[in-house]
Amino acid sequence: MTRAEIFENRREVGRKICKQIRDNGGRLLNAKYFVERPHCDGEKNYKFSMANNLRLMSSNNKNICEGDPRWIPADEITKNSWKLKENAKPELLEVWAKSSDGEQECFLTEFYNASEVDEKEKFKVENRTLNETIEFFQVRGLLYESDEIISFQDCVDVVKKYAAEKGADELTAIFATQIFVAESKLHTKIETYLPTYSEKILFEIEENPDKLFEAASKARSILKNLRQEKIKPLAEEITSDRNFGELKIIYHGSEGELKNKIGLIYLPETILTGGAAYEFLFALKSAEKQRIWLEFFYEYYEHGKFLISAEDLEMLKDSTVTDFLKNRLDRSRREILGDVQEWKKYLSERKKIRDEEILNQVKIETRNFQSAMTDFEKEEIKYIEGHPELLR
């Protein structure tokens, strides 16, 4: 295809994307499936241009939803005698090459997603934790280490601000934010963090679709610069003079809104430390019945993601936070100590552990938990004395 033909074809892609955005309330929902930059996984392995990224984002191919970034040229699948799954659907992507007279030529070439090739292993996404995501910005001096409440939304806002500081216009900033959100690999409802496109922006894209491709390319460069920002070591935490200095809560989300003592909403995917973490737990006493997902860290004790049910919240209303935590966080271990068979659901099928080892480990963790809760209770009493407004 000539350059004129390929650019006219791109404009059709841009208009198609605008329609998708309008149909989905102002967000490009397909973007959430691009957890890694798509690339050619053939004899030549290379990352796709942003033009090809946009072509894939504009597609209604069900394989886009798989999130597999590997794409293989159709001719290589034939050459290797690989078998495609039934109803496999190719995508037409740009492949540029020099002609015999030295001019750049573009060919729209068929590629199949690796998930459609029987001989290819299933792609696995390695999710990042909220801790890792926040630390990425802290070590670059873009988020304050001392803040007791930091959410994933804060990270999203930092990217948008960073893009603007690097000269990005509105559309480029939207794309930078969109790419960051998708590639954060945070295991959460990513679509809720995707930026929205205003009607003004959509109109501008439709009038000049080339702007979409230019903005996408600039956004990728801005994020590359962000990754290359100078890293500084994080300061060592000083916890001795801080209330609940060794307490950390990761709030993943809930079925309804949770508010603090002055009515501000706690955002999902938020890390709370110190007094702010305790006040979050205390605020659950007045929460409406719903399900809430948390992680809990105190001193040397760590408790991974767990569920607080509506029944748990009812119990918390007439309890101290300490007694509630003792009951809820030690529940699984009490079940195991009561019936070793309960442990089966926590084990890998390939890992064999003797019952005695299981019981000994559970007993050790129980002692550690009880010791941590003794210290927690002392801090709770002290904190309540210094913050009597919590009891009003």
Side-chain angles (χ1 to χ4, degrees):
M1 297 180 75
T2 65
R3 290 181 68 88
E5 289 173 330
I6 203 69
F7 279 96
E8 182 54 40
N9 183 266
R10 284 186 183 183
R11 292 176 188 117
E12 292 178 16
V13 171
R15 295 184 185 101
K16 187 177 178 181
I17 285 176
C18 284
K19 183 179 185 307
Q20 283 185 347
I21 292 170
R22 281 200 177 91
D23 290 345
N24 290 286
R27 289 187 170 97
L28 181 52
L29 294 189
N30 266 6
K32 69 181 178 181
Y33 303 120
F34 289 73
V35 294
E36 288 186 15
R37 186 170 176 177
H39 64 271
C40 176
D41 192 40
E43 292 177 359
K44 292 182 179 180
N45 196 299
Y46 59 90
K47 293 179 180 179
F48 285 149
S49 65
M50 288 306 295
N52 277 337
N53 278 28
L54 289 171
R55 288 183 179 278
L56 292 172
M57 282 187 196
S58 72
S59 173
N60 59 4
N61 188 333
K62 63 180 178 62
N63 295 303
I64 298 295
C65 303
E66 296 293 324
D68 192 328
R70 302 168 299 168
W71 292 83
I72 306 168
D75 60 350
E76 290 188 28
I77 293 173
T78 302
K79 176 182 176 182
N80 289 296
S81 300
W82 288 337
K83 185 178 179 182
L84 287 168
K85 293 179 181 176
E86 189 177 356
N87 299 321
K89 180 181 176 182
E91 289 294 326
L92 291 175
L93 301 178
E94 297 178 15
V95 175
W96 291 80
K98 280 188 178 182
S99 64
S100 56
D101 58 4
E103 294 293 320
Q104 286 285 340
E105 290 183 319
C106 183
F107 304 89
L108 285 182
T109 305
E110 286 190 347
F111 282 75
Y112 284 90
N113 190 264
S115 64
E116 291 281 61
V117 180
D118 284 343
E119 288 78 6
K120 288 290 183 177
E121 292 183 359
K122 186 176 177 61
F123 176 71
K124 293 182 180 179
V125 178
E126 295 183 6
N127 290 314
R128 294 194 188 101
T129 65
L130 184 57
N131 270 329
E132 292 171 327
T133 303
I134 288 174
E135 188 173 297
F136 172 87
F137 293 97
Q138 288 177 329
V139 298
R140 289 164 174 79
L142 299 172
L143 280 176
Y144 295 111
E145 298 171 50
S146 58
D147 287 351
E148 288 191 334
I149 303 178
I150 304 178
S151 69
F152 181 60
Q153 184 60 54
D154 292 324
C155 301
V156 174
D157 292 342
V158 164
V159 172
K160 186 175 181 181
K161 180 182 177 184
Y162 182 87
E165 290 173 348
K166 297 300 179 181
D169 59 15
E170 183 181 355
L171 181 56
T172 302
I174 286 174
F175 251 96
T177 305
Q178 181 177 279
I179 294 170
F180 162 73
V181 167
E183 295 184 358
S184 68
K185 298 184 181 179
L186 195 65
H187 188 60
T188 188
K189 293 180 179 179
I190 285 296
E191 62 269 19
T192 62
Y193 297 96
L194 291 174
T196 56
Y197 293 72
S198 67
E199 187 58 37
K200 174 177 173 290
I201 286 290
L202 293 176
F203 178 77
E204 289 177 359
I205 294 171
E206 288 169 333
E207 287 291 299
N208 183 10
D210 294 349
K211 289 188 64 173
L212 187 68
F213 290 81
E214 293 167 5
S217 182
K218 290 177 183 177
R220 178 60 73 181
S221 296
I222 287 171
L223 290 176
K224 182 178 179 181
N225 289 336
L226 175 59
R227 289 192 297 273
Q228 294 175 344
E229 284 286 333
K230 187 176 180 180
I231 293 176
K232 63 178 183 178
L234 289 175
E236 292 186 13
E237 288 190 37
I238 301 173
T239 61
S240 58
D241 297 327
R242 197 172 74 159
N243 286 317
F244 283 111
E246 295 186 65
L247 173 62
K248 178 170 74 174
I249 298 293
I250 301 181
Y251 167 51
H252 289 291
S254 55
E255 292 177 323
E257 292 181 344
L258 296 179
K259 297 181 180 180
N260 66 10
K261 60 188 177 185
I262 60 173
L264 295 178
I265 296 171
Y266 287 108
L267 297 176
E269 302 303 340
T270 292
I271 294 180
L272 304 102
T273 56
Y278 176 78
E279 291 191 11
F280 171 86
L281 293 172
F282 192 91
L284 298 183
K285 294 167 73 70
S286 57
E288 296 179 359
K289 288 186 177 181
Q290 58 183 296
R291 293 189 297 174
I292 302 166
W293 289 267
L294 305 178
E295 291 182 56
F296 176 87
F297 305 84
Y298 181 68
E299 294 181 345
Y300 40 80
Y301 177 78
E302 300 181 3
H303 199 107
K305 193 173 184 179
F306 66 97
L307 169 67
I308 293 179
S309 67
E311 291 75 17
D312 293 330
L313 290 176
E314 189 63 30
M315 179 182 67
L316 174 58
K317 290 183 185 300
D318 300 316
S319 168
T320 64
V321 173
T322 302
D323 287 341
F324 170 75
L325 292 173
K326 285 179 181 178
N327 184 287
R328 177 61 190 86
L329 298 185
D330 212 28
R331 185 185 299 164
S332 299
R333 282 183 290 272
R334 289 198 305 273
E335 291 173 353
I336 293 164
L337 290 173
D339 182 2
V340 175
Q341 294 304 311
E342 282 288 319
W343 186 257
K344 288 182 179 179
K345 60 187 177 184
Y346 301 97
L347 289 178
S348 164
E349 292 180 0
R350 289 177 286 180
K351 191 173 182 180
K352 294 183 179 180
I353 302 179
R354 293 184 304 145
D355 290 351
E356 295 81 6
E357 293 177 14
I358 296 171
L359 288 171
N360 286 336
Q361 183 61 36
V362 173
K363 287 175 181 177
I364 291 170
E365 290 182 2
T366 298
R367 285 197 297 269
N368 289 340
F369 174 70
Q370 290 171 344
S371 175
M373 285 298 98
T374 297
D375 292 342
F376 189 96
E377 186 170 31
K378 293 175 182 177
E379 285 209 80
E380 179 174 26
I381 293 170
K382 184 178 179 182
Y383 195 86
I384 292 293
E385 289 175 349
H387 298 80
E389 72 277 3
L390 291 175
L391 300 176
R392 293 172 189 163

